[in-house]
Amino acid sequence: MPDPAGFADTIAAVATAVAPGEGSVAIVRISGPEAEPIGHQLFVAPGSQSWDSHRVLYGHVVDPASGERLDEALLLLMRAPRSFTREDVVELHCHGGLVAVQRVLELVLAAGARRALPGEFSQRAFLNGRLDLTRAEAISEMITARSRRAAQLAMAGLDGGLQLRIGALRERLLDQLAELEARVDFEEDLPPLDGAAVTAELEAVRLELEQLVAEARQGELLRRGLRVAIVGRPNVGKSSLLNLLSLRERAIVTDLPGTTRDLLESELVLDGVPLTLLDTAGIRPTSDRVEQLGIERSRQALAAADAVLLLFDLEAGWSLEDQALRELVPEGVVLLVAGNKADGAGLPVGLVPPGDGEPADVRFSALTGAGRDELVAELLRRCGAGCLEGVQVALNARQRDLAAAAALSLGAALEAAAQQLPWDFWTIDLRAAVRALGEITGEAVSEAVLDRVFSRFCIGK
Ligand SMILES: Nc1nc2c(ncn2[C@@H]2O[C@H](COP(=O)(O)OP(=O)(O)OP(=O)(O)O)[C@@H](O)[C@H]2O)c(=O)[nH]1
Ligand SMILES: [Mg+2]
């Protein structure tokens, strides 16, 4: 871990959510050598309250120039190194509301602090050795988690689960590297190397990395959520399904074909997985200009979705038009064909066993809600959400790319071993793998990478 970086300047930002701009409490956070002096300048604490670390003071934020009281507030002083950034930190807990808290922040800036960049508090925490990079990234993931499971995974990262797992793999590689490098330099003085044991160990680590890369997709699913487009001919009940799943009258439903003209999005969480559900205009040939534009959007949504729910009307039966729509779904996009209006057609709801020639994978009724649970379960299963429960830690995209690169380097090292090349050929690839894993945990990471990682954070964190 690096030594405390000793930043000369003091940064400040609103640490609580600023949109939609209402909340009972808003926090202005100040970190750096000037944090406490700025607090003294702007905060008036009545009586004999003493400025002790980790104590809360009651008082007012006062503009020193005019004497105007800006807000009634609490001040929390956390002296270095017992703070998030390991610097002196002052937090002003003000009343919520956009305007008041911005005025307090302006005052803090006028008193000598600089506006913090996104993620700059966390970056300082990292550079001062307060957290490793995986924990810092987990903070950002906790903040942006859209579902209970995503928050649980972020918490596992915060607890150091990922750091431990990657750190342990890196250690194992370092052990092998040490053995090999010793042979490069002192071949004659050492007992002969057990090449089979080395390659077995490298292969074991490579497999674990590949497992982590595979699980990253699940983590990504939980973090980012799935985009699911409901597509079908007009009047098959797409908007009715959106409403059923969103538990509210999100979309207009009528018995007129061509009711929905535009894309409608609904954010929801199904079985712990966040989804963006898209209701689309029913696709059919039409001369109506507005409808044509809507249909164009439906086609785009269909092409850009992670999964397509293709709906058809069981009362009307599967048609050539439905077949044509099915053929529009691109390769690689998860597809679930769902027959709606099972109530009207007098058909049983639920999963249709595969291989019996039915076009529907699942039958349901958006009107009564029958078959809804089976539809949701099957959709999530096809999206790979079924194995989510087993995922303990999840790499984000940056970490996944590095783990994949490490696995690739190990593959190359094993290749060199198989060809019985000299030790130094192996060590080049092995060292590359160690470096990639070090970039995940932050042991070996460049400033440019750090800037990129932390700039994705929100301001005030
Ligand atoms: N009997 C029955 N009727 C349904 C069911 N689902 C939807 N409907 C009816 O079908 C009609 C069309 O429903 P919508 O949800 O508007 O269909 P849509 O696919 O969004 O249609 P467009 O927006 O025109 O493409 C409405 O009259 C609904 O009440 C169902 O499960 N059973
Ligand atoms: Mg509709």
Side-chain angles (χ1 to χ4, degrees):
M1 218 32 92
D3 290 330
F7 292 97
D9 58 351
T10 297
I11 53 174
V14 178
T16 37
V18 288
E22 279 182 37
S24 57
V25 176
I27 298 175
V28 174
R29 181 190 254 174
I30 314 164
S31 178
E34 289 304 307
E36 194 172 338
I38 290 173
H40 276 287
Q41 268 188 66
L42 307 180
F43 192 77
V44 178
S48 55
Q49 305 175 62
S50 66
W51 288 65
D52 296 333
S53 188
H54 294 80
R55 283 274 297 273
V56 175
L57 302 183
Y58 164 80
H60 290 90
V61 179
V62 176
D63 183 344
S66 64
E68 182 194 355
R69 281 180 168 190
L70 263 61
D71 200 358
E72 183 188 29
L74 298 175
L75 182 145
L76 174 58
L77 168 65
M78 289 170 278
R79 291 203 183 106
R82 291 177 55 215
S83 73
F84 176 59
T85 54
R86 289 207 167 156
E87 302 177 323
D88 286 346
V89 167
V90 165
E91 285 183 2
L92 291 164
H93 295 227
C94 311
H95 286 113
L98 208 50
V99 176
V101 72
Q102 285 301 332
R103 285 191 69 197
V104 172
L105 178 62
E106 294 300 331
L107 214 56
V108 169
L109 298 176
R114 167 172 72 68
R115 207 181 280 274
L117 300 169
E120 202 172 2
F121 291 95
S122 304
Q123 189 164 8
R124 287 191 173 192
F126 167 73
L127 291 171
N128 287 330
R130 165 77 167 67
L131 351 120
D132 68 84
L133 200 52
T134 65
R135 284 185 177 86
E137 284 182 287
I139 293 175
S140 162
E141 280 145 23
M142 178 63 92
I143 292 170
T144 52
R146 281 180 52 199
S147 70
R148 182 177 46 78
R149 281 286 293 144
Q152 281 172 348
L153 277 182
M155 193 58 223
L158 267 179
D159 277 343
L162 191 54
Q163 168 74 12
L164 278 177
R165 188 116 175 237
I166 297 288
L169 293 176
R170 186 166 176 270
E171 287 298 318
R172 285 167 66 182
L173 294 184
L174 280 170
D175 285 346
Q176 301 307 317
L177 189 61
E179 285 285 320
L180 287 170
E181 289 196 326
R183 288 320 185 284
V184 173
D185 296 333
F186 313 104
E187 174 113 50
E188 302 79 32
D189 313 329
L190 291 169
L193 188 71
D194 182 353
V198 176
T199 51
E201 176 69 347
L202 297 190
E203 178 61 10
V205 173
R206 193 182 69 81
L207 286 177
E208 262 203 60
L209 285 172
E210 287 197 336
Q211 175 73 22
L212 278 172
V213 171
E215 287 178 4
R217 187 179 142 60
Q218 267 76 48
E220 181 69 14
L221 209 93
L222 284 172
R223 235 186 311 268
R224 178 179 59 93
L226 278 172
R227 274 180 91 76
V228 179
I230 310 176
V231 181
R233 296 165 60 206
N235 230 26
V236 295
K238 298 179 294 299
S239 302
S240 304
L241 177 60
L242 183 87
N243 290 346
L244 176 72
L245 295 179
S246 334
L247 302 173
R248 63 196 170 112
E249 294 303 304
R250 174 79 179 83
I252 297 172
V253 167
T254 75
D255 55 2
L256 300 172
T259 300
T260 306
R261 298 298 189 90
D262 211 340
L263 285 187
L264 267 183
E265 287 195 15
S266 187
E267 306 268 337
L268 51 141
V269 177
L270 293 178
D271 291 353
V273 179
L275 298 184
T276 303
L277 208 57
L278 296 168
D279 181 22
T280 64
I283 299 179
R284 64 170 171 183
T286 174
S287 53
D288 183 310
R289 180 87 185 107
V290 180
E291 198 178 345
Q292 278 173 358
L293 291 171
I295 289 172
E296 189 45 43
R297 292 188 176 190
S298 302
R299 288 175 187 276
Q300 287 165 3
L302 185 148
D306 298 309
V308 168
L309 249 170
L310 177 60
L311 248 55
F312 74 99
D313 185 337
L314 289 167
E315 283 184 288
W318 180 256
S319 68
L320 286 175
E321 288 92 334
D322 296 313
Q323 184 60 36
L325 283 182
R326 182 191 201 143
E327 279 154 23
L328 286 181
V329 180
E331 246 339 273
V333 171
V334 173
L335 170 67
L336 184 69
V337 180
N340 185 27
K341 309 194 187 181
D343 57 300
L347 286 167
V349 296
L351 215 56
V352 178
D356 65 356
E358 267 276 330
D361 299 313
V362 58
R363 297 194 204 96
F364 76 108
S365 164
L367 195 68
T368 66
R372 172 223 177 264
D373 293 350
E374 289 89 337
L375 182 147
V376 167
E378 184 58 14
L379 176 71
L380 294 181
R381 192 188 68 75
R382 289 189 182 207
C383 292
C387 38
L388 286 178
E389 288 305 323
V391 176
Q392 298 304 320
V393 295
L395 309 184
N396 63 28
R398 183 189 81 87
Q399 297 160 342
R400 181 200 56 212
D401 289 349
L402 288 165
L408 216 63
S409 296
L410 288 182
L414 287 164
E415 183 71 16
Q419 292 177 18
Q420 310 213 308
L421 294 174
W423 304 137
D424 37 348
F425 278 87
W426 306 29
T427 56
I428 297 171
D429 293 313
L430 195 46
R431 229 177 278 128
V434 168
R435 204 177 317 118
L437 296 187
E439 263 195 61
I440 295 183
T441 55
E443 253 115 339
V445 71
S446 73
E447 209 168 303
V449 170
L450 283 183
D451 284 347
R452 195 149 5 110
V453 168
F454 286 104
S455 66
R456 282 199 288 265
F457 282 45
C458 53
I459 292 187
K461 194 62 238 178

